[in-house]
Amino acid sequence: MLNNLSSVIFDLDGTIVDSKLNFSLMKEEIGMPQDESILEYLDTIDDKKFLTKAFEIIHKHELEGAHQSTLIRDFQNFYDFLKEKAIPIGVLTRNSKEITDLTISKHNLHIDKVLTRDCCKAKPDPEGLYIILEDFKTPKENSIYIGDFLFDLQTAKNAGISSGLILNDKNSVFKNQASISFEFYNELKKFF
């Protein structure tokens, strides 16, 4: 199933970089329930003043996260491998365009196609993956979307492509929903 991959699309936070975002604190500062997803919760709010303040709080946290971000363990090595093989690389994230561009630039990454919550419907809607695959002109069966959270796996499933779950100390409960789970990116080289 995962042979002859010809394009790779990544989530950003927790997948390419560790931006040490504290979602619990973000939710607390926004004044929203801890058991809700932030963007989905804000979609249900009509109060413009509340929304403005909420997105200011999100931006503050994401900006701090971008500045303190570090690359995930062996990502640089895998990125270099993909570049050497001329494999198209995409990013689909729920972050804002400004924060995503800042983070990618900080780590000197050259990504072929980047989509954010400002460019398309937020994950788990598959719209972003469809746009990237169309741009890359690569078939679904030769593409993979890699992330670290349930939304990423759902997005890949909704788009009909393979999913990769990069394991951390909180997400192993999602392993059975991923096409493949792994600890180190070097484990994926055999699929290209």
Side-chain angles (χ1 to χ4, degrees), residues 6-72:
S6 57
S7 71
V8 184
I9 306 160
F10 296 94
D11 171 45
L12 185 62
D13 285 325
T15 304
I16 292 177
V17 297
D18 179 2
S19 52
K20 298 160 186 62
L21 286 177
N22 184 336
F23 289 103
S24 292
L25 180 59
M26 210 184 300
K27 290 175 184 180
E28 186 180 311
E29 289 180 16
I30 289 169
M32 62 170 284
Q34 287 291 328
D35 62 344
E36 299 261 0
S37 295
I38 294 172
L39 296 180
E40 284 70 17
Y41 176 78
L42 295 178
D43 272 348
T44 68
I45 304 294
D46 292 326
D47 182 339
K48 298 228 183 295
K49 193 173 174 185
F50 181 90
L51 288 173
T52 299
K53 184 70 177 157
F55 279 105
E56 285 172 4
I57 291 166
I58 292 167
H59 181 75
K60 176 189 80 167
H61 281 270
E62 287 183 344
L63 186 60
E64 187 179 311
H67 286 300
Q68 68 182 6
S69 66
T70 56
L71 286 177
I72 295 286

Side-chain angles (χ1 to χ4, degrees), residues 8-186:
V8 184
I9 306 160
F10 296 94
D11 171 45
L12 185 62
D13 285 325
T15 304
I16 292 177
V17 297
D18 179 2
S19 52
K20 298 160 186 62
L21 286 177
N22 184 336
F23 289 103
S24 292
L25 180 59
M26 210 184 300
K27 290 175 184 180
E28 186 180 311
E29 289 180 16
I30 289 169
M32 62 170 284
Q34 287 291 328
D35 62 344
E36 299 261 0
S37 295
I38 294 172
L39 296 180
E40 284 70 17
Y41 176 78
L42 295 178
D43 272 348
T44 68
I45 304 294
D46 292 326
D47 182 339
K48 298 228 183 295
K49 193 173 174 185
F50 181 90
L51 288 173
T52 299
K53 184 70 177 157
F55 279 105
E56 285 172 4
I57 291 166
I58 292 167
H59 181 75
K60 176 189 80 167
H61 281 270
E62 287 183 344
L63 186 60
E64 187 179 311
H67 286 300
Q68 68 182 6
S69 66
T70 56
L71 286 177
I72 295 286
R73 27 189 190 271
D74 64 335
F75 178 80
Q76 184 70 55
N77 181 276
F78 187 56
Y79 168 85
D80 293 342
F81 167 82
L82 295 174
K83 284 295 182 185
E84 191 177 292
K85 292 185 79 61
I87 302 287
I89 301 171
V91 165
L92 175 63
T93 177
R94 287 166 59 101
N95 280 1
S96 71
K97 180 163 180 14
E98 178 188 348
I99 297 302
T100 301
D101 290 347
L102 178 65
T103 305
I104 288 170
S105 174
K106 175 188 175 184
H107 297 287
N108 198 29
L109 300 173
H110 302 282
I111 307 295
D112 301 300
K113 183 79 170 178
V114 177
L115 291 179
T116 70
R117 68 173 180 244
D118 301 326
C119 310
C120 61
K121 292 177 186 165
K123 300 180 293 184
D125 191 290
E127 181 186 42
L129 289 182
Y130 292 146
I131 293 168
I132 293 171
L133 290 172
E134 174 71 26
D135 195 61
F136 287 174
K137 308 248 183 290
T138 54
K140 286 189 206 184
E141 57 272 14
N142 299 112
S143 304
I144 189 168
Y145 182 52
I146 297 172
D148 69 312
F149 190 63
L150 182 60
F151 280 143
D152 304 313
L153 306 179
Q154 291 170 335
T155 306
K157 183 178 182 184
N158 293 341
I161 72 170
S162 295
S163 59
L165 179 69
I166 182 161
L167 295 168
N168 60 41
D169 57 359
K170 297 177 188 153
N171 69 3
S172 62
V173 311
F174 307 129
K175 275 172 78 166
N176 65 338
Q177 297 183 55
S179 306
I180 184 173
S181 58
F182 60 95
E183 284 188 55
F184 295 98
Y185 278 107
N186 283 336

